[in-house]
Amino acid sequence: SQQGEEDPQALSIQEGENATMNCSYKTSINNLQWYRQNSGRGLVHLILIRSNEREKHSGRLRVTLDTSKKSSSLLITASRAADTASYFCATDPGGYNKLIFGAGTRLAVHP
Amino acid sequence: EADIYQTPRYLVIGTGKKITLECSQTMGHDKMYWYQQDPGMELHLIHYSYGVNSTEKGDLSSESTVSRIRTEHFPLTLESARPSHTSQYLCASSDTGPPALEQYFGPGTRLTVT
């Protein structure tokens, strides 16, 4: 990957369970963003966390950022079948919106 | 739902043909981007624009070219398509930062060159 790795590559869970995805990156960043992609379509922005923030919440999403370890995690609580998608982290090293994407985690939530 | 559109959604074309992938947005965003994505892989930035008459190549080398004559329109052209160009092409836009802002993506064009 050009910037980092996402872990796991694929995750399969039951509805109601929590899903955790991790992202590591290589360079210093201005911010880190998470996106969702359904069935190879366009991406949808989920959440943005800045380099001076450690944790951020949005609905059932919780994102953490550890700049000392160059890593971030995305937690989806009480997952639903509709959460089935690929999830990508993207870093913005310079703060100019030129994003570098990871390879993504494919999440499957079974009813 | 983001107001960013891409046409065509699917394109199957023979080697050597010239193609133009269209992208337009109605949000008045100054910044626009083209990404290339192979199935199950990460997105790679191939072109970006900070505004009218401003275009630059991204981190991934591409034989395609772009133009930005109007704020809302950012077409991508391949002069002579080859099988190696088979991929999905995603267009995105964002408002002007800093601070950094989210990108809005179109639905993508899936290109197959035979």
Side-chain angles (χ1 to χ4, degrees):
Chain A
S1 169
Q2 57 184 327
Q3 168 67 314
E5 302 295 327
E6 293 190 54
D7 170 53
Q9 291 183 325
L11 180 61
S12 181
I13 60 175
Q14 297 294 317
E15 263 190 331
E17 294 180 340
N18 295 342
T20 299
M21 290 158 265
N22 303 296
C23 167
S24 61
Y25 55 92
K26 297 175 183 173
T27 65
S28 60
I29 60 171
N30 177 278
N31 66 82
L32 184 144
Q33 303 179 34
W34 285 90
Y35 288 81
R36 184 186 75 228
Q37 183 178 39
N38 290 89
S39 302
R41 295 175 62 90
L43 279 70
V44 174
H45 181 266
L46 296 176
I47 198 164
L48 181 154
I49 186 165
R50 302 190 190 284
S51 60
N52 61 353
E53 297 176 309
R54 292 296 168 258
E55 187 171 313
K56 206 162 182 181
H57 296 256
S58 177
R60 293 184 295 114
L61 306 180
R62 173 179 169 255
V63 169
T64 62
L65 179 65
D66 187 335
T67 53
S68 67
K69 295 181 179 178
K70 290 187 169 59
S71 67
S72 173
S73 68
L74 171 67
L75 168 67
I76 304 174
T77 60
S79 64
R80 306 165 182 167
D83 294 329
T84 295
S86 291
Y87 291 82
F88 293 89
C89 69
T91 54
D92 182 2
Y96 296 103
N97 286 48
K98 287 177 63 180
L99 297 181
I100 302 175
F101 283 82
T105 293
R106 290 182 298 282
L107 173 66
V109 182
H110 302 284
Chain B
E1 193 80 14
D3 296 321
I4 180 163
Y5 309 98
Q6 290 185 245
T7 57
R9 291 292 311 282
Y10 303 91
L11 179 61
V12 181
I13 201 162
T15 297
K17 300 291 186 183
K18 177 180 178 179
I19 61 170
T20 296
L21 307 184
E22 301 288 349
C23 175
S24 60
Q25 50 97 5
T26 59
M27 296 172 283
H29 287 167
D30 284 327
K31 294 184 177 179
M32 296 190 75
Y33 315 82
W34 276 104
Y35 293 90
Q36 184 175 342
Q37 182 187 30
D38 292 328
M41 303 296 288
E42 65 260 53
L43 283 72
H44 293 275
L45 180 67
I46 53 175
H47 298 283
Y48 64 98
S49 169
Y50 286 144
V52 171
N53 294 326
S54 155
T55 62
E56 294 187 32
K57 289 190 177 292
D59 300 323
L60 180 69
S61 176
S62 174
E63 295 169 346
S64 59
T65 59
V66 293
S67 62
R68 189 87 182 276
I69 299 173
R70 303 198 315 265
T71 297
E72 61 272 21
H73 197 213
F74 192 39
L76 181 147
T77 299
L78 275 166
E79 290 292 333
S80 180
R82 294 207 301 268
S84 61
H85 296 139
T86 294
S87 189
Q88 175 158 260
Y89 293 84
L90 292 160
C91 181
S93 71
S94 70
D95 210 342
T96 299
L101 297 166
E102 66 191 89
Q103 293 188 12
Y104 294 87
F105 282 79
T109 293
R110 193 172 296 277
L111 172 66
T112 302
V113 183
T114 60

